[in-house]
Amino acid sequence: MSYSVSPIGFVRSCFKEKFAIPRQPQLAPAARGVLELLPPFDQGEAVQGLEQVSHVWLLFLFHQALEDKPRLKVRPPRLGGNQSMGVFATRATHRPNGIGQSVVKLEKVEAGKLWLSGIDLLDGTPVLDIKPYVPYADAVSGAFNRMADGAPQLIGVAWSDAALAQAMDHGQRLEQPLRELVEQCLAQDPRPAYQQPEPSRVYGTQLWDVQVRWHYPTPAQICVLEVVPA
Ligand code: SAM
């Protein structure tokens, strides 16, 4: 038996590649995007009432991780990438039907467009449905997850003078909190846990239309080297 679903819209996101996207929503409040709704959902009626809601659940497709062969076990980065776990015990992107879910902040609503923050979604992510967050039912008191009981430990993010000036300039041009976005995303330490970074190794990712490059002067510290047009 099979069913087909179709997107109700696509996310235009600050994240242009997977590397350095936080592993869950809410970890980088400066991560912003716009959900552009497709007809017929681009009509005002479809979003009427959402102005009374602070957060929404997005159900979406991990469109850049879809696979034909289902995996039963995965190696979540949260466990260091070297321990495998049943796929249903994790939020891994490689999963049956490739469906993701994120609670994100609703900043502004207009017909056809939802402005979002705190997202963990790649640019171009197809969204299947939107549901309002319902605090009394969705925030479960006493709930636990022994594998992921708290937000990831943060590491320090320092800037070269040049990189900070570049981030401020580009942030102003983009009208986006770019400095905060870089700091919040890099503090999550995007490198794979098994990688011991040499200080000479330069990492990079694209946020909005700029390329951010950084290195690890020590394994517990990031220094942003430059923020330049991508
Ligand atoms: N909050 C969601 C969930 O629990 O289903 C996503 C969790 S998943 C661990 C988060 C990662 O998904 C991000 O770090 C990013 O690299 C990846 N990701 C985001 N959007 C994606 C997309 N459209 N296709 C593939 N991977 C994506």
Side-chain angles (χ1 to χ4, degrees), residues 18 21-25 60-65 91 93 99-102 120-122 125:
K18 285 187 270 182
I21 302 182
R23 292 186 187 137
Q24 287 301 337
F60 60 91
L61 281 180
F62 289 115
H63 72 303
Q64 281 202 7
R91 296 286 195 99
T93 57
I99 294 177
Q101 57 179 88
S102 294
D120 58 348
L121 307 170
L122 189 61
T125 294

Side-chain angles (χ1 to χ4, degrees), residues 114-162:
L114 303 186
W115 272 262
L116 310 169
S117 68
I119 61 176
D120 58 348
L121 307 170
L122 189 61
D123 194 45
T125 294
V127 174
L128 302 177
D129 202 356
I130 305 164
K131 298 193 190 196
Y133 184 79
V134 179
Y136 80 83
D138 294 346
V140 182
S141 78
F144 63 87
N145 179 334
R146 296 199 178 97
M147 266 180 292
D149 225 5
Q153 213 185 331
L154 303 182
I155 69 169
V157 179
W159 294 80
S160 73
D161 290 345

Side-chain angles (χ1 to χ4, degrees), residues 212-225:
V212 181
R213 297 201 177 89
W214 69 92
H215 80 136
Y216 293 79
T218 72
Q221 174 83 35
I222 278 178
C223 178
V224 188
L225 297 170

Side-chain angles (χ1 to χ4, degrees), residues 8 11 24-26 31 33-37 46-60 91 100-110 113-121 127-135 138-139:
I8 51 119
V11 174
Q24 287 301 337
Q26 310 301 324
V34 179
L35 170 51
E36 296 178 338
L37 297 169
V47 293
Q48 193 194 348
L50 268 185
E51 67 287 343
Q52 298 180 54
V53 166
S54 67
H55 291 74
V56 287
W57 283 103
L58 297 183
L59 300 172
F60 60 91
R91 296 286 195 99
Q101 57 179 88
S102 294
V103 177
V104 299
K105 185 156 186 234
L106 196 48
E107 297 284 352
K108 190 169 82 163
V109 183
E110 73 179 40
K113 281 187 183 169
L114 303 186
W115 272 262
L116 310 169
S117 68
I119 61 176
D120 58 348
L121 307 170
V127 174
L128 302 177
D129 202 356
I130 305 164
K131 298 193 190 196
Y133 184 79
V134 179
D138 294 346

